[in-house]
Amino acid sequence: MIQYRKIEPDEINRALFKDFIRRQVVTGCWRHEAGAWVIKDDPFIDDWSEEDYRVLIDCLRRTLLEGGFVFGAFSDGCLKGFAAVTSGLFGGENRYLDLASIHVSEDMRGQGAGKALFLAAKDWARQNGAKKLYISAHSAVESQAFYKAMGCVEAAWYHQGHVAEEPYDCQLECAL
């Protein structure tokens, strides 16, 4: 059984992720070419290095210290998924809050944890004044299928910082 709860800043360290499997086998990705979205073959395995974990831990801690939200999915006391929403509205009239992270451990995908985490992120964003959740999302076909199932569409306004940082991500939004 999966338990869901807020994660506190003092919990966020490398040991929290000891049973988390980031691995994602990607075969195709969405690309925007000549004004249209197309699927391109782009096989690779996405996984995190120790440096990636250090960056993630710093980002999650900063999110909480700046008034954001980090929510986790736990199985037998082990972290198996998490979502993070940063504080600070942006995007003018769109009134976005940023879904900075959402990940589910490879061994738990397809069991509803991602949906529960996404819904918790939406609820927190709504309670904190947002009209829409903004997502700079991995372009993998499977990732995009998840976001589409959650009601996401192409963002009306692109956050240029996200575009510059991750040029192959799809810029999405979800109405709250």
Side-chain angles (χ1 to χ4, degrees):
M1 186 169 155
I2 302 173
Q3 291 91 30
Y4 299 93
R5 65 173 176 80
K6 289 181 183 178
I7 297 176
E8 299 300 328
D10 61 345
E11 294 180 87
I12 301 173
N13 56 48
R14 184 61 179 97
L16 180 66
F17 298 93
K18 69 179 178 55
D19 296 304
F20 188 88
I21 306 165
R22 166 61 183 105
R23 188 173 192 272
Q24 181 177 359
V25 177
V26 176
T27 56
C29 292
W30 284 96
R31 297 288 184 254
H32 199 250
E33 295 183 355
W37 287 99
V38 296
I39 297 173
K40 294 291 212 176
D41 289 336
D42 189 11
F44 65 96
I45 296 175
D46 197 3
D47 209 343
W48 289 334
S49 67
E50 284 304 312
E51 176 60 20
D52 293 329
Y53 276 105
R54 280 191 288 279
V55 169
L56 172 67
I57 289 163
D58 287 344
C59 289
L60 294 176
R61 283 183 186 151
R62 187 173 50 254
T63 294
L64 288 175
L65 294 174
E66 293 175 354
F69 174 73
V70 179
F71 197 68
F74 294 83
S75 177
D76 295 324
C78 300
L79 181 71
K80 291 297 181 175
F82 61 95
V85 181
T86 59
S87 63
L89 294 167
F90 64 93
E93 66 187 36
N94 289 297
R95 295 183 55 89
Y96 291 118
L97 280 178
D98 194 15
L99 179 67
S101 294
I102 184 166
H103 296 281
V104 174
S105 185
E106 182 181 46
D107 57 330
M108 296 295 289
R109 292 181 193 144
Q111 298 180 42
K115 180 178 181 178
L117 292 167
F118 192 84
L119 293 175
K122 281 179 62 174
D123 188 52
W124 187 88
R126 184 182 315 106
Q127 290 176 22
N128 284 272
K131 287 176 39 181
K132 299 177 182 180
L133 199 57
Y134 189 92
I135 308 106
S136 181
H138 197 294
S139 61
V141 170
E142 299 82 6
S143 298
Q144 290 300 304
F146 167 77
Y147 289 114
K148 184 176 181 181
M150 295 297 102
C152 297
V153 297
E154 186 173 358
W157 175 89
Y158 276 26
H159 186 293
Q160 292 307 310
H162 286 315
V163 173
E165 188 175 321
E166 294 287 349
Y168 292 114
D169 274 8
C170 297
Q171 306 304 309
L172 306 174
E173 65 182 35
C174 186
L176 304 177

